Structures are given as C-alpha cells and as structure tokens.
Amino acid sequence: MNSNSTPEQLMNSVKETQSAMVEMVAKTLECMEKHLDLNLKAARANLADATEASSQLMSVKDAPEFYATVQAVSQPALGKVTSYSRTVYDINAEAAAEFAKMVEARMTEVNKAMSASINEMSKSAPAGSEGMVAMVKSAFAASNSAFDAINKAAKQVVEMVETNVDAATKAGEATVAASPKGASRRNAKAAN
C-alpha cells in the first residue's frame, strides 16, 4: 500500500484481511470436525471390536485355538489402523491444500497491490531516482520469482509425499491381506 492510500483503501484492506482470517478459521474448524467425527467412529468401532474379541477369547479351550483366535481378531484391526491412518492423512492433506489456495490467492492480491504501488511510485518519483526505482522493481521481481520457485518446490514435495503415502498404504494393505495365510500355516504346524 502506498503512502497516498485513502481511508477507503485502508478499510478495504482490513476487510479483506479479516475475511481471509475468518475463512482460515472456518477451514480449521471444519478440519477439526472431521478429525473428531473420525475419532468418534473409530472409538465406537474399537469398542465393538474389543467386545467381540474378548468374547471370542473367553471361549478358547487350548493354546492352538488361542493363537488362531488372536490371529483372527488382530487381522481386521491392522486393516482398520491402515484405513484410519490414511483417512487422517487425507483430512490433513485436504486442509493443507485449502490453506495453500487461500495463501496463494492472498499473495496474488498483495502482488497486484504492490505492483500498482511500485508503478505509482515510479510515475511520481523525483528526477534522478530512476536507479532507486529500478532497484525496487528488480527486488520485487526477484521476490516474486523466489516465491514462485518455493511454491513450485512445495507442490513437488506434496506430490512426492502423496506418492509415498499411497505406496506405503498399498504395501501395508498387501501385508495385512497376505499375513493370515502365513499365520494360519504357522499355527497349524505349532499345533501338530
């Protein structure tokens, strides 16, 4: 904002900032609601699973049956942990993307205002200050280039993390899907 800003321009800037803050708080609350809902559902499911597992374990008559029962009740739990973790990551990634969009939009507005202020300054600058104006323009362009580079790098990191989380989730799901077969064979050998 330049030194010739009007009270209306100042009030508009304050209103835009307030609107952006309200939007960010609303998104934060939405994210918190999603986490609370997920955790309540997980707690209910865990209580039901624990009740069922304890009921099954109470009816066990010998060691091989105990091992088989433990294996049977633990496999669904591993899958649920993987699913829960993925959902938590998705909620957080969605919120981070929304915040990034808001910041990027705000930065675009600030850049437009700054560019207009620099152009206005260059028009009304006294004679002999062309070098200073050129330096300010150059610094502004350099800061925009740096911001763009950082923004691009951050997006690449997010994509890489997303790819790694997907791969880890698939590997975990494959391990969970494959492990009952191997465990059943080990338990059968132990029983004999």
Side-chain angles (χ1 to χ4, degrees), residues 36-48:
L36 286 171
D37 183 52
L38 174 66
N39 287 330
L40 285 173
K41 287 178 181 175
R44 284 186 188 112
N46 286 340
L47 178 60

Side-chain angles (χ1 to χ4, degrees), residues 8 15 30 33 54 88 95 97 105 111 126 135 143 148 154 156 189:
E8 292 82 22
K15 287 178 184 177
E30 183 181 317
E33 286 175 356
S54 65
V88 167
N111 279 342
M135 184 179 76
S143 68
D148 290 342
Q156 289 174 339
K189 287 180 184 177

Side-chain angles (χ1 to χ4, degrees), residues 67-164:
Y67 291 122
T69 303
V70 167
Q71 184 67 36
V73 298
S74 67
Q75 288 307 310
L78 293 174
K80 288 178 182 179
V81 166
T82 301
S83 175
Y84 174 85
S85 299
R86 179 63 195 190
T87 304
V88 167
Y89 175 82
D90 288 343
I91 290 169
N92 292 338
E94 180 184 334
E98 289 294 322
F99 286 136
K101 285 181 196 174
M102 285 187 265
V103 168
E104 201 169 317
R106 187 72 177 140
M107 286 302 295
T108 300
E109 292 172 18
V110 168
N111 279 342
K112 285 179 186 176
M114 217 29 206
S115 182
S117 294
I118 290 171
N119 286 335
E120 185 64 33
M121 178 187 75
S122 67
K123 290 178 187 174
S124 60
S129 63
E130 294 84 11
M132 182 62 83
V133 170
M135 184 179 76
V136 168
K137 285 183 177 181
S138 177
F140 180 66
S143 68
N144 279 339
S145 293
F147 177 77
D148 290 342
I150 290 170
N151 197 19
K152 184 178 179 180
K155 286 179 181 178
Q156 289 174 339
V157 167
V158 168
E159 289 173 6
M160 184 176 66
V161 168
E162 181 72 28
T163 300
N164 289 340

